Amino acid sequence: MIGGPRLDTPSAVGEEGRPRATSLTIAALIIAAFALTTGVLSGDPKLFSGIALLAGIAVAGLTLLDRDGLGPTVIGHLCFLPAATGLIASVGQVAVAPLLALGVAVAMVGVAAAWTNVLDRETVSAATVSSVVSYLFAVAGLVVGTVVLALAWFSWELVSAVAGGTSPIAATVCLGVLGVAASGCLYFAVAQLPLVQLTARSRRDAIATRLKRGTRALKLVAIGSAAFTVVVPLALLLTPFGQLVASPPFSLGIRVLSSWVVLAPLLAVTVGALVAGSGAIVIRKFTTEFNAASVRTVGAAIAAVGYLVLLALFLLRTGIFGFGSFITVFFGALLLPLLVYLVLVLVNGALTFGLLPARAGPAALTASGLICASIGAAQADLPTLLVFVGVVSGLVAWDVGTFGLGLTAELGHRPETRRLELYHSVFAVGVGLLGIAAVGIVDAARHAVGSAIGSPETMALAAIGVLLLLAPLRG
Amino acid sequence: MGRRATRWRGAIVAALALAGAGIWEGNGTLLLAATLPLSYLAYGVLSTAAVPAALVVSRAVDPTPAPPGHPVTVQLTVTNSGQQTLSDVRVVDGVPTDLAVLDGSPRGGETLAAGESVTIEYTLIARRGEHDFDEPRLRVRGTGAGEVATATRHPEGDDRLVCQLDAKAPPLSDRGTDRVGQLTTDAPGDGFTFHSTREYQHGDPAGRIDWRGYAKRGELSTVNYEQWVSTTVVFVVDARSPARVTAGPGRPTAVELGAYATTQALTSLLDAGHEVGLAIVGIDGDGPAGLTWLQPGDGPNQRSLAVEQLRAAADAAESDPAGGPADEADTQRQFRKVMEMAGPRCQLVLVSPLLDDAPVTAMASWAAFDCQRTVLSTDVTAASTVSGQYEHVRRRTRLARCQASGARTIDWRRGTPLPLILDYAFAVAARQPSGSAQLGGGA
């Protein structure tokens, strides 16, 4: 499949099938137009392009996390958490009123979620759990990786210091420790690698016997090396034998024992055996008991590795090292994802308690985002008409969005209903244009009069009066 | 009057939010904007809906009667014969509960101007029986979709799908010929297809003289035609519990499909003048070894008896899908008994989905009698699941084993019209090297 898994397969769009394309296209166009207009009026037409991209990728990731396959799950993780984290970071970075940026981001997430039809309680909660697992894997991987790297660095420095030296005690201790490590790691690798299973059936008994003998020998070598590490340095320290080996020609032997010619093969065997044994465990774990739960766990683990790679690439790209890198990792990679999960938990709660309607959740999110953006636009002193257009956009997005989702729920996704949706949308937009014209005239009159009639206090009284009169209708 | 749809409660929340923000900020623009949601609220409230009497519904079912497993096209048309435009008309047809929709959707929606109509088309898979459609449900919304009215309408046209085993088989009395036997042999004789010429003998009919050859060479010769003889064909229908399965919900069982295939084939053979017998394995019959047995014979009455027994088998398979405990020894005894009853000169046609090895064993045992054998296998395996594909591979392997035992195999896959399969199979048979009697026309 070119370009990764598709989103529009039936399993990706919920029980009711693919949502109505016409209605959602209209809603998406409205949001795009509003974002573009706001950008133009703010002096940067590309103001929300980054937010749009991140919102799309984040929702695509959320959708893919609902799949059962390993590939889609991994790609879903790699799309969702980085993009959602970036989206939250971007909202605070856009050079407009925060409420405006937040509103546009929420609206974009809402319309994208409507396209993929995934904003329901089960999907969001499953995605949250799955993503938290991958995040914890990544954090654990970061900690373990740091410890392993520190140990490797320390060992390397130690061996480098001993190599080529003339101290008999240091040379024997280093040789003994490496012997214990090499034999131990070889024993571990032999125990983990499926050597018998990979052998031809006719020779399995012979190989098993030989392996048993080999592991016994490795145990003896490990014990011998441990004894060598303790006894020989003590002997060199406490007996005159130490002075003897420090002088030629015995010192030449000590120099050979501490040379790279001896140490490098031991080191290579140790590292190689460790990698082979660990690899065997990982492969076995990932390939046995392959069911839906293990796919999710394995997908989360692979994604965690992906996060670390992405983080390393980000640090390399931005050239942030040292303390700056620590700050970036701590706040960017560790704390911001927690904010993403907080948002997911809030959305899940809203869906559970009915604050977001079950089927029309995406439409509600879109509409509330645009209303929020309108309030932000008013705060930013953007043109009055833009505020009115924003409010109407939210209402039209709600109207056509719920209409389209209702159509899908009632008729399924197969019947052709483009004309039906367009007819409904034309009326919804028409009512909005009439409303904008009416309040535009009132606003113009208010500014023209410039007296107490048009003051916020009197307007507030008028608005409250209208609300009280119309509230009994309740929609 | 319809039911009010509560679509605009969110508008009140939006109005309150905008008004609250306006008051908090002291911003008149936001306060004015708070009235915009109320305009949509009013728009929804003012919207009314009713299902007008001018909405006319008609339904066409084609074909009816249909044979089992045959796709049936249903067209439901809703026409706005009134003078007003209906902004939102949705319709759901009342599909019989026993039938599955194969393609399309029984639902649809459209904006209907005066005189316009919307047609929804979908395909059902026929199952044996008479299936009544429920009345289609109509739902109309006002322009603002604020009110919903629902009603059912009795449609004009078809309201029932009839599915019969002999749905596409014409009565014998309509098409039957008086020719005795339509099985080609190597022996020359009377017939229609040219075979060879020989020297004229006194007494040869004048109609068989090769007059063209006489004009060229001046010698009289007589034309020989491929001789037509009749044969006896016994259909063996597998109605055991392994065959009582379907390819999916709402689809006919393999027994039902086999009964339909047998009905088609035996009708054609009877039409061509052959004798046809019937044995049904797997249901408690009153014949030998528990078989349902119909002695080979010909004529319309034979077909009626056979169809009646096939119906009974399909009924038994449908009423007891699990079937009784399968006894391999009993099954093989029944298959052997078929051979004994039919005799060595007849041809055997086994109709089975081949979902177990018993029919393959039976074909192998019949090979000992050196009679011509054919397997007509109905495909009821599902290709969309791993287990279905596994069963499909096993079934194909069994077909290959039947072929290896010397039997002719006919794989009737879903979606392929049975007459086409039978025509193709017998056309292949006609092209096979001579040496044994082969089926001629009619099949």
Side-chain angles (χ1 to χ4, degrees):
Chain A
M1 190 176 297
I2 299 169
R6 289 169 61 101
L7 292 175
D8 60 346
T9 54
S11 63
V13 291
E15 293 296 317
E16 292 163 354
R18 190 172 294 117
R20 295 290 153 185
T22 309
S23 302
L24 296 181
T25 304
I26 292 167
L29 285 175
I30 285 170
I31 293 162
F34 179 78
L36 191 65
T37 311
T38 309
V40 168
L41 292 173
S42 304
D44 181 8
K46 294 180 180 174
L47 192 63
F48 296 109
S49 57
I51 285 183
L53 180 67
L54 290 170
I57 294 175
V59 174
L62 187 70
T63 309
L64 289 173
L65 285 179
D66 198 31
R67 302 285 190 85
D68 293 329
L70 183 63
T73 305
V74 172
I75 294 174
H77 279 299
L78 292 177
C79 286
F80 175 68
L81 193 58
T85 307
L87 184 64
I88 286 178
S90 300
V91 167
Q93 300 293 318
V94 179
V96 288
L99 210 54
L100 178 55
L102 179 68
V104 172
V106 169
M108 285 174 171
V109 167
V111 80
W115 275 107
T116 53
N117 202 5
V118 289
L119 202 67
D120 57 85
R121 198 164 61 85
E122 289 77 17
T123 309
V124 173
S125 57
T128 308
V129 171
S130 186
S131 187
V132 165
V133 170
S134 77
Y135 170 75
L136 290 177
F137 272 133
V139 171
L142 198 63
V143 172
V144 171
T146 308
V147 169
V148 168
L149 279 177
L151 273 176
W153 176 81
F154 179 73
S155 305
W156 180 256
E157 288 295 319
L158 202 66
V159 173
S160 300
V162 171
T166 52
S167 165
I169 295 176
T172 49
V173 167
C174 184
L175 192 67
V177 168
L178 270 180
V180 172
S183 52
C185 288
L186 270 175
Y187 182 83
F188 168 69
V190 168
Q192 296 303 327
L193 287 169
L195 296 173
V196 176
Q197 288 83 352
L198 289 174
T199 311
R201 197 172 285 275
S202 58
R203 294 193 291 117
R204 281 187 185 175
D205 290 340
I207 284 288
T209 314
R210 210 175 293 172
L211 278 178
K212 194 178 273 183
R213 236 180 287 149
T215 49
R216 198 181 303 135
L218 284 172
K219 275 183 199 170
L220 289 174
V221 169
I223 293 167
S225 298
F228 178 84
T229 311
V230 175
V231 174
V232 174
L234 281 176
L236 290 175
L237 196 65
L238 300 176
T239 63
F241 192 64
Q243 290 172 352
L244 185 67
V245 295
S247 56
F250 296 106
S251 61
L252 194 64
I254 293 296
R255 191 180 284 272
V256 169
L257 283 179
S258 64
S259 70
W260 279 113
V261 176
V262 175
L263 297 181
L266 279 174
L267 209 58
V269 166
T270 308
V271 173
L274 199 61
V275 169
S278 310
I281 291 176
V282 170
I283 290 170
R284 192 179 300 126
K285 200 72 185 168
F286 283 6
T287 51
T288 52
E289 296 176 9
F290 213 70
N291 53 26
S294 72
V295 164
R296 286 180 184 277
T297 313
V298 171
I302 295 173
V305 176
Y307 295 156
L308 297 179
V309 171
L310 282 178
L311 185 64
L313 288 175
F314 178 75
L315 292 176
L316 282 173
R317 176 76 181 79
T318 52
I320 304 172
F321 296 105
F323 189 70
S325 124
F326 175 75
I327 298 288
T328 308
V329 169
F330 185 73
F331 285 103
L334 294 180
L335 287 190
L336 269 181
L338 295 180
L339 210 55
V340 172
Y341 298 134
L342 179 66
V343 171
L344 282 178
V345 168
L346 288 176
V347 169
N348 205 21
L351 286 166
T352 306
F353 294 111
L355 293 175
L356 274 177
R359 185 188 300 135
L365 214 57
T366 309
S368 55
L370 282 169
I371 299 286
C372 177
S374 304
I375 296 172
Q379 282 178 339
D381 285 332
L382 287 170
T384 309
L385 201 58
L386 182 72
V387 178
F388 296 150
V389 167
V391 173
V392 167
S393 299
L395 294 164
V396 172
W398 164 260
D399 190 25
V400 297
T402 51
F403 185 77
L405 288 168
L407 259 180
T408 309
E410 208 162 77
L411 300 182
H413 65 282
R414 293 181 71 102
E416 179 57 56
T417 53
R418 185 181 291 122
R419 187 179 169 209
L420 192 60
E421 294 170 80
L422 283 174
Y423 191 87
H424 183 86
S425 306
V426 165
F427 273 86
V429 173
V431 170
L433 290 177
L434 282 176
I436 289 172
V439 293
I441 290 167
V442 173
D443 192 53
R446 184 172 71 91
H447 281 102
V449 172
S451 65
I453 297 170
S455 68
E457 290 76 16
T458 50
M459 294 295 297
L461 282 173
I464 290 166
V466 173
L467 284 175
L468 287 174
L469 282 172
L470 287 179
L473 296 174
R474 290 186 303 169
Chain B
M1 281 296 286
R3 172 175 57 84
R4 301 289 331 162
T6 52
R7 297 184 66 233
W8 288 107
R9 281 182 180 167
I12 295 177
V13 178
L16 287 172
L18 287 165
I23 293 168
W24 180 265
E25 297 275 334
N27 190 323
T29 305
L30 285 176
L31 284 169
L32 267 179
T35 58
L36 286 169
L38 303 179
S39 62
Y40 279 90
L41 187 63
Y43 168 57
V45 167
L46 294 174
S47 164
T48 57
V51 181
L55 268 181
V56 180
V57 185
S58 63
R59 186 194 288 122
V61 180
D62 181 50
T64 181
H70 196 279
V72 176
T73 305
V74 182
Q75 284 188 327
L76 188 78
T77 304
V78 181
T79 306
N80 178 13
S81 57
Q83 297 301 315
Q84 287 186 329
T85 297
L86 299 172
S87 60
D88 185 345
V89 178
R90 304 180 193 184
V91 58
V92 180
D93 199 5
V95 181
T97 50
D98 291 340
L99 302 182
V101 176
L102 176 70
D103 189 25
S105 171
R107 300 159 182 244
E110 191 57 283
T111 299
L112 291 180
E116 280 189 339
S117 61
V118 58
T119 300
I120 58 172
E121 186 174 316
Y122 58 97
T123 307
L124 297 172
I125 291 291
R127 293 189 68 182
R128 207 170 50 82
E130 294 184 352
H131 306 279
D132 291 324
F133 285 82
D134 290 335
E135 290 182 340
R137 178 173 290 201
L138 294 168
R139 187 164 279 179
V140 174
R141 284 174 167 79
T143 306
E147 193 173 57
V148 184
T150 308
T152 54
R153 283 286 153 82
H154 185 75
E156 298 169 357
D158 299 323
D159 60 357
R160 173 179 289 186
L161 167 62
V162 179
C163 176
Q164 297 171 345
L165 292 179
D166 52 351
K168 285 205 162 179
L172 288 185
S173 55
D174 289 356
R175 290 183 56 195
T177 65
D178 294 330
R179 294 196 302 276
V180 176
Q182 293 192 351
L183 206 68
T184 55
T185 69
D186 277 351
D190 292 335
F192 291 91
T193 309
F194 176 82
H195 181 275
S196 60
T197 58
R198 63 170 168 77
E199 192 179 342
Y200 175 76
Q201 293 172 1
H202 182 70
D204 283 346
R208 287 178 58 188
I209 294 174
D210 182 8
W211 293 111
R212 185 172 296 187
Y214 178 69
K216 282 182 182 173
R217 294 184 293 275
E219 294 175 1
L220 278 174
S221 57
T222 303
V223 176
N224 281 324
Y225 295 96
E226 287 181 352
Q227 194 177 8
W228 295 77
V229 296
S230 65
T231 189
T232 303
V233 180
V234 173
F235 286 88
V236 185
V237 178
D238 184 2
R240 297 168 306 118
S241 52
R244 299 178 185 187
V245 292
T246 66
R251 291 175 182 272
T253 62
V255 176
E256 200 173 326
L257 289 172
Y260 163 55
T262 308
T263 307
Q264 279 278 326
L266 71 82
T267 302
S268 296
L269 290 171
L270 287 170
D271 184 29
H274 300 292
E275 289 192 337
V276 175
L278 176 68
I280 300 173
V281 177
I283 58 172
D284 283 336
D286 49 6
L291 276 174
T292 297
W293 174 252
L294 178 65
Q295 193 67 29
D298 56 7
N301 191 43
Q302 182 74 357
R303 194 191 79 165
S304 303
L305 289 170
V307 170
E308 196 54 45
Q309 292 192 347
L310 289 167
R311 278 197 193 117
D315 281 340
E318 196 170 335
S319 60
D320 184 14
D327 187 338
E328 182 64 25
D330 277 353
T331 302
Q332 290 307 326
R333 191 161 56 246
Q334 286 193 339
F335 279 125
R336 273 200 306 278
K337 186 58 78 176
V338 169
M339 192 67 245
E340 290 169 17
M341 301 291 290
R345 291 178 60 83
C346 78
Q347 299 181 14
L348 290 173
V349 180
L350 174 64
V351 184
S352 169
L354 292 183
L355 295 177
D356 65 340
D357 287 332
V360 183
T361 311
M363 289 306 283
S365 66
W366 290 345
F369 293 88
D370 196 27
C371 63
Q372 187 171 339
R373 294 155 296 134
T374 304
V375 179
L376 172 57
S377 180
T378 51
D379 183 9
V380 289
T381 55
S384 56
T385 61
V386 174
S387 57
Q389 287 178 356
Y390 174 67
E391 281 302 329
H392 184 71
V393 170
R394 295 190 68 186
R395 176 178 161 273
R396 298 283 298 173
T397 309
R398 291 188 188 107
L399 269 171
R401 284 167 60 196
C402 288
Q403 207 164 18
S405 72
R408 181 142 45 87
T409 56
I410 305 170
D411 185 3
W412 180 24
R413 296 193 180 183
R414 283 200 308 281
T416 311
L418 179 67
L420 190 70
I421 288 287
L422 296 177
D423 281 349
Y424 176 74
F426 293 139
V428 169
R431 285 199 297 272
Q432 283 182 342
S434 56
S436 62
Q438 293 165 8
L439 284 172

